[in-house]
Amino acid sequence: MSADNPFFSNTESGDRSLVYLLQGMLDASPGFLCYCEPIWEKTGPEPSPLVDLVYKVVNQPLCRLLGRSVDQVVNQPVSHFLPSAKATGLLDHCAQTLATKQGRQFDFSYNADGFSGRYRIEATPLLEGLVISFNKLSAQPDVQPADQPSMLQSIIDNSLSGLMGFVAIRDEQNAITDFRISFFNPACLALTGLSANHFRQRTFRQQVPPDHLPAIMTVLHQVVTHRQSTRVEFFSSHINRWVDIGLSPLGDGFLASFIDITDRKQATTRLQSIIDQAHTAVATLKPVRADEPGSDIVDFEITLANKALEDYIKSSVPIVQRLLSESFPSYITLGLFERYRQTADEKVRQRFEFHYNADGIDAWVDIQSVPLDGEVLVTLSNHTLLKQTQLQLENKISELNLLNENLEQFVYTASHDLQEPLRKVRTFGDMLLDSYEPSLGEAGTDLVRRMQGAVSRMQELIRGLLAYSRTTTDRQPHQVVDLNTIIDDVLDDLEPVLTETKAHLAIDPLPVIQGDPLQLRQLFQNLLANAVKFSRPDVLPDIHIDVHENQQTDLPSGLNIPPGGFVVIAIRDNGIGFDAEHEERIFELFQRLNNRSQHTGTGIGLAICKRVVENHGGTITVQSKPGQGSTFTVYLPHS
């Protein structure tokens, strides 16, 4: 570090001598000193985990320990030089100090990233960060120096991992040209199946396939020269096994530690084979952040994908370990990136329907995104055909509804417009009879009267059509309706015909429901009027209105049951009845079962009843036998 460090960039020139004095004191210290500022993970309102520290001030001993200059260390994260700081628990100690704002001293063993030793560390909160000083402790007093080599050899020999030490072979320009083996352990021999003499007699270059050598030597130069540890997985054709190798700087060479991961690789391959058979696309996405841990997510890296996902882009290039934006360039602008970001940052499980219509893809997918160990697990179920069918069906329904509306409007308008010419025809007929009946004679008068009868039937038919049309066009918002009041009003309207026929009525107390009072009145008026109209000759009408408690097993098939169940009302008479084969047909428009000379009517009344009940979310059925009367059962949702 120098006085030109950005940390002191705002220092007044008059204070620079103090800065140099401070730096000199730090550099003269025999221990390792630094000032670091924290990097927190952005996770919301809860206390944020510490993900790293950034060097802001360092002394020369620390730089020499790291093998870097001051400028190469300052403003770099600790994990850049100590990748295992989090895994070993070192960051947890620092996080605790920051959280408690209490200075603390602790002893800590760090045996990773090319470092090996036990250190006494003092961490003191200062401003927004920590002042950290540490010294390497001497070996444990109960271990004598003479015992150390044998103890180290015992550790190496008993390690389950294969261990090999290599020392650089340099040319006259001090450039590394090869490596010789300095030691190896029994696990190494067991894993490779090679003899000790094989390793002793060969340099590193002599044991590596020539086509792999340039790339491997480049990695080893980084490890030895820049003191950067790394890991790599590869398949060794010599031993027919998958191996995970860790490379760490060790003196003027490196330490290679390796384990057999064949079983894990085979399990991974089986898992990949299984998910490749799935029709559902599966992927795991690793967040890619802008600059450093804890910063904003700018993209995602695909760490696992199955064939179903690759089929979307129809590319022969593998998409694993590539950015998601490279395979699906429009996923950010379409809003899919923001969904995945929410899952990653806010730990939110999501399920949603999405239309991806870009990058040569046109698909409707059901997407689930789940946080998983710092990544995002995504599954996509393609239901494009189902969605297209649904949209087509919705369009057809809209077209059908429009046609029905137009037809009903036409019926209403046509029926209304036909009334006037019919009234004129009837008026002219009356005028003919009043003024010219003697001249018409008996035959002419009969023709005029038959014409007027036809006009009357036509007017009645038109009124029926208008009433049927209004059950759709004049629907009112439902309100509380007392059916007892409705029945009282209907009986008032029918009083003359009830009195004339001496009809007997027995009516149960009726419930209160939600409905359209005008349509419900029309429903019961039509049913009661029919019960009187279709009575048997010389038999007084006997009409009953019964209310039943319904059971789900008693309901007509296909009827959706509302939360409150149904009100079941039966209108039972002792009239002429009809054959059971007509029980469905009788509710169709213009359907009549009787001769017009015996019973007048248009065949519209029961069709209106059916429409009214359906408008209320119910249904109507009938049971009848010739000469034994009929029972019309109305199912209306309970309020």
Side-chain angles (χ1 to χ4, degrees), residues 76-349:
Q76 290 294 324
V78 169
S79 62
H80 182 72
F81 306 99
L82 305 175
S84 303
K86 187 173 182 65
T88 59
L90 181 58
L91 277 186
D92 294 338
H93 286 281
C94 297
Q96 186 175 353
T97 303
L98 287 167
T100 60
K101 300 188 184 303
Q102 299 278 334
R104 60 198 305 262
Q105 179 181 355
F106 57 96
D107 292 345
F108 192 83
S109 295
Y110 198 93
N111 299 301
D113 310 321
F115 299 95
S116 178
R118 188 167 179 81
Y119 299 86
R120 177 154 292 167
I121 302 175
E122 289 189 26
T124 306
L126 177 66
L127 301 177
E128 299 297 322
L130 288 176
V131 174
I132 301 173
S133 64
F134 59 99
N135 289 283
K136 189 171 184 178
L137 297 175
S138 59
Q140 297 294 333
D142 57 335
V143 179
Q144 299 301 320
D147 296 333
Q148 290 183 3
S150 61
M151 181 182 69
L152 178 59
Q153 188 62 50
S154 177
I155 292 173
I156 293 174
D157 290 343
N158 289 282
S159 173
L160 297 178
S161 299
L163 296 175
M164 298 182 72
F166 292 85
V167 178
I169 300 174
R170 298 178 180 270
D171 60 16
E172 294 179 355
Q173 287 75 38
N174 203 35
I176 298 175
T177 60
D178 202 347
F179 294 91
R180 62 178 176 83
I181 298 175
S182 60
F183 66 86
F184 48 84
N185 69 346
C188 172
L189 301 178
L191 178 61
T192 61
L194 300 173
S195 67
N197 286 334
H198 175 90
F199 288 121
R200 292 192 185 104
Q201 295 171 2
R202 289 171 174 80
T203 66
F204 182 82
R205 282 180 173 271
Q206 292 171 339
Q207 302 184 62
V208 177
D211 53 336
H212 294 169
L213 192 59
I216 295 176
M217 289 299 292
T218 299
V219 172
L220 294 179
H221 274 282
Q222 290 290 110
V223 173
V224 176
T225 306
H226 300 288
R227 317 297 293 176
Q228 293 181 351
S229 299
T230 187
R231 299 195 72 85
V232 63
E233 295 180 358
F234 81 100
F235 181 77
S236 172
S237 58
H238 174 72
I239 60 175
N240 198 33
R241 309 291 289 175
W242 277 94
V243 181
D244 181 317
I245 297 184
L247 302 172
S248 302
L250 180 64
D252 189 26
F254 66 92
L255 171 69
S257 62
F258 47 94
I259 58 174
D260 185 344
I261 59 169
T262 304
D263 290 343
R264 189 185 77 189
K265 274 290 185 179
Q266 289 175 346
T268 301
T269 302
R270 284 195 296 269
L271 175 61
Q272 185 69 50
S273 177
I274 291 170
I275 66 173
D276 280 342
Q277 301 303 314
H279 295 293
T280 300
V282 180
T284 54
L285 308 177
K286 178 182 177 181
V288 177
R289 300 188 181 272
D291 298 312
E292 54 192 17
S295 60
D296 291 339
I297 298 174
V298 295
D299 207 340
F300 288 89
E301 177 189 345
I302 303 172
T303 56
L304 179 144
N306 68 342
K307 187 177 182 301
L309 183 66
E310 294 177 342
D311 287 345
Y312 279 99
I313 59 175
K314 298 178 175 62
S315 172
S316 59
V317 179
I319 65 176
V320 174
Q321 296 183 340
R322 296 179 61 192
L323 294 178
L324 191 59
S325 60
E326 293 176 352
S327 299
F328 301 90
S330 302
Y331 94 106
I332 295 178
T333 56
L334 290 176
L336 202 51
F337 164 79
E338 180 59 23
R339 292 278 199 166
Y340 297 158
R341 186 205 63 76
Q342 289 176 356
T343 298
D345 277 347
E346 303 171 21
K347 306 296 185 290
V348 177
R349 297 173 64 99

Side-chain angles (χ1 to χ4, degrees), residues 436-453:
Y436 302 101
E437 184 174 0
S439 303
L440 292 172
E442 184 176 345
T445 301
D446 180 63
L447 288 174
V448 172
R449 294 191 187 281
R450 290 171 63 183
M451 177 189 71
Q452 287 185 309

